[in-house]
Amino acid sequence: MLRAQFGLGGAEWVTNGSDAQRSFSIPADPAISVDSLRAPGFQLLWKTKLGPIPSSDAAQKNSLTPAILMDRYIGYRGFRSFAFVAGSSSTVYAIDSDLNRIEWKTKLPVPATATGSPNCPGGLTSPMARATSAEYPSAPSFGGLGMRGGPAESGVGQPNQGAVTIPAALAAAGPARPRLRLPVLIYVLAGDGMLHTLYISNGVEAEAPIPFLPPDANAQGLVIINGVAYAASHSCNGAPAGVWALDIASKQVAVWKPPSVDISGDIAGSAGPAFGPDGTVYAATTAGALVALDPKTLAVKDTYESGLEFTSSPVLFQYQTRNLIAAATGDGSIHLLDAASLATPLFKTPANSANVAPGALASWQSSDGVRWLLAASGSVVTSWKIVERDGAIALEPGWRSRDLMSPLTPMIINGVVFAVSSRENRPAENAVLYALDGATGKVLWDSGKAITSFVHSGGLSGGAGQLYLETYDQTLYAFGFPVEH
């Protein structure tokens, strides 16, 4: 749809964690639901191998980044749907996600990847991004232009109907649709710390690369909001830990660095900074601070001191009239805070040191209004409900998944929780994708032996009826319900 095409709303996976809040969720979908997953038909749609292993595109175990999506891009050849992934040495791929066809491939001109370590691999580490908003994502309408569910269209129309053209598409969209604005860009933070802007249509650079982060900084969470690029860096390869903001028009960079200069002052988590609907930037540190930063200057606005090492990126979500924040600490507990004042937590779950603390949390709201939090920790996915007890907000334990091996941060599409047993600590074994009922944790479907490698740097993303997963052997997998092309 046109709004999604230009990053103006709707539900598309446009940054690490889907949205600026890092929810790892899509609120609605034309095909995927708990009821549809109970019936046969959901399956591996296609897979495509984007390079050999071993290869120069694998720094340590890093291979492909999680996919960023665009559904129904309008070009001169009609409607197209794309998935964008990158190799760790800055090779960018655009795949037609309807036809399983590489649309274009661009090798960015960057120096060789640094020789790093598993924690500091060097090279390209953050998923790409499309421009988005700090506002909470809204559920899209699937009744008109932009719904995946019909076959992909070329530039040739039906007999006696003429070509599928941009003017015709705009006329069908009606006067309420935003005005068409070209070109459309995708943003890439390369391993040398430069921000690249590529035309979605062909992968050509729209302007000269812009200096952003130090080289090989192990960047996470690239996101583009109101003309500003944001990302987090870990203390790696001589680069400092911090949250960075680049004004793309003026080329000016601001940075906030944790006060501690040793490893205890690193940026926590794997999803990058999260954003409130007013643009406030939130980041957690391994020294136990959760900070609120001004979106322009990155000056500290508020701070919560947990007294414990944070291990996850924060996630934001709306609960009634409040904007709430959750993050995990090294003892396995979840800290819940009100964005209006970070001084005192609303609630903390009991410590659970037996679980490996997650790098990111996920959040979604069910159709009955219940707000859920999810974490992949240890060998399970664990859920909590947001509840009120005697006028106070609390986290109530929900379901726990079956045993999984090294689970990734789960993804939620329209009430279905997708969880991956990554098997990354047992590379001789293959990853398995599971679909769970978001309200009960019951397994609805699993991929069996369809995936033939383990997962390390890849992750789940999805929307418009399909979801995607990248494996160590540089293969991109697409799952969903088959449609006629």
Side-chain angles (χ1 to χ4, degrees):
M1 60 184 65
L2 289 178
R3 287 180 60 84
Q5 178 180 346
F6 300 112
L8 299 176
E12 286 191 294
W13 205 278
V14 296
T15 184
N16 196 11
S18 177
D19 47 47
Q21 292 76 40
R22 312 302 185 185
S23 72
F24 286 85
S25 66
I26 296 290
D29 192 87
I32 295 172
S33 68
V34 171
D35 287 340
S36 68
L37 264 292
R38 289 192 178 116
F42 192 81
Q43 63 188 55
L44 172 65
L45 297 177
W46 51 260
K47 62 181 181 178
T48 186
K49 194 158 187 172
L50 299 175
I53 290 291
S55 85
S56 60
D57 266 2
Q60 299 297 319
K61 286 185 180 179
N62 279 9
S63 178
L64 299 173
T65 60
I68 299 302
L69 308 177
M70 170 168 277
D71 185 45
R72 290 303 183 259
Y73 167 74
I74 303 176
Y76 73 95
R77 288 187 287 178
F79 296 111
R80 312 292 299 282
S81 295
F82 293 120
F84 304 94
V85 298
S88 60
S89 68
S90 300
T91 303
V92 181
Y93 304 87
I95 295 94
D96 185 313
S97 54
D98 281 325
L99 304 176
N100 183 22
R101 182 176 64 198
I102 296 178
E103 185 74 9
W104 50 259
K105 172 183 173 181
T106 296
K107 180 69 168 67
L108 302 178
V110 300
T113 297
T115 301
S117 65
N119 290 330
C120 296
L124 189 153
T125 52
S126 173
M128 292 176 281
R130 287 173 47 207
T132 188
S133 167
E135 297 176 1
Y136 291 113
S138 58
S141 169
F142 300 111
L145 185 66
M147 172 181 170
R148 185 200 299 273
E153 293 186 66
S154 71
V156 179
Q158 297 299 315
N160 302 318
Q161 292 184 358
V164 178
T165 63
I166 291 175
L170 291 175
R177 298 286 184 179
R179 185 177 62 185
L180 184 65
R181 296 179 295 165
L182 294 176
V184 189
L185 302 172
I186 192 161
Y187 298 84
V188 190
L189 181 51
D192 62 354
M194 306 291 280
L195 182 72
H196 296 255
T197 56
L198 308 181
Y199 292 121
I200 276 182
S201 58
N202 56 17
V204 172
E205 300 233 29
E207 62 176 307
I210 308 170
F212 187 12
L213 267 63
D216 299 311
N218 197 6
Q220 301 290 340
L222 175 66
V223 62
I224 315 298
I225 299 173
N226 296 329
V228 179
Y230 299 89
S233 66
H234 295 294
S235 180
C236 276
N237 300 315
V243 176
W244 306 72
L246 165 66
D247 186 300
I248 296 173
S250 70
K251 312 297 190 289
Q252 297 299 305
V253 176
V255 60
W256 175 81
K257 300 176 185 177
S260 177
V261 297
D262 61 19
I263 191 64
S264 66
D266 205 349
I267 301 296
S270 57
F275 296 79
D278 63 350
T280 299
V281 187
Y282 296 90
T285 76
T286 56
L290 193 152
V291 296
L293 306 174
D294 180 85
K296 292 184 178 180
T297 66
L298 297 185
V300 176
K301 298 168 60 177
D302 201 357
T303 304
Y304 166 63
E305 296 288 350
S306 69
L308 297 163
E309 173 189 6
F310 276 110
T311 62
S312 82
S313 304
V315 59
L316 276 92
F317 52 90
Q318 192 169 35
Y319 181 75
Q320 298 176 358
T321 60
R322 292 179 165 185
N323 297 310
L324 302 187
I325 308 168
T329 48
D331 64 347
S333 62
I334 306 294
H335 297 234
L336 187 66
L337 303 106
D338 191 327
S341 176
L342 301 183
T344 304
L346 298 172
F347 190 80
K348 290 193 293 186
T349 64
N352 184 1
S353 58
N355 280 346
V356 177
L361 305 175
S363 177
W364 69 288
Q365 182 169 297
S366 57
S367 58
D368 58 2
V370 175
R371 170 61 64 174
W372 294 81
L373 275 178
L374 300 175
S377 54
S379 60
V380 297
V381 172
T382 306
S383 70
W384 294 267
K385 297 179 184 179
I386 313 295
V387 298
E388 288 196 47
R389 296 174 181 166
D390 301 322
I393 295 177
L395 290 171
E396 179 180 281
W399 50 264
R400 289 167 60 91
S401 74
R402 54 157 292 166
D403 284 346
L404 304 171
M405 189 176 296
S406 302
L408 304 180
T409 301
M411 173 183 72
I412 307 96
I413 298 181
N414 196 26
V416 179
V417 174
F418 291 95
V420 175
S421 175
S422 73
R423 312 291 179 95
E424 70 168 313
N425 296 321
R426 296 190 182 182
E429 300 186 29
N430 301 329
V432 180
L433 171 65
Y434 294 89
L436 313 176
D437 185 325
T440 66
K442 180 181 177 181
V443 175
L444 303 170
W445 173 90
D446 70 73
S447 62
K449 298 182 178 181
I451 302 170
T452 57
S453 181
F454 65 96
V455 178
H456 178 68
S457 59
L460 288 169
S461 53
Q466 292 185 185
L467 65 144
Y468 306 88
L469 178 67
E470 304 76 25
T471 53
Y472 169 73
D473 64 352
Q474 294 211 93
T475 301
L476 174 66
Y477 291 80
F479 295 87
F481 293 95
V483 295
E484 182 181 351
H485 295 298

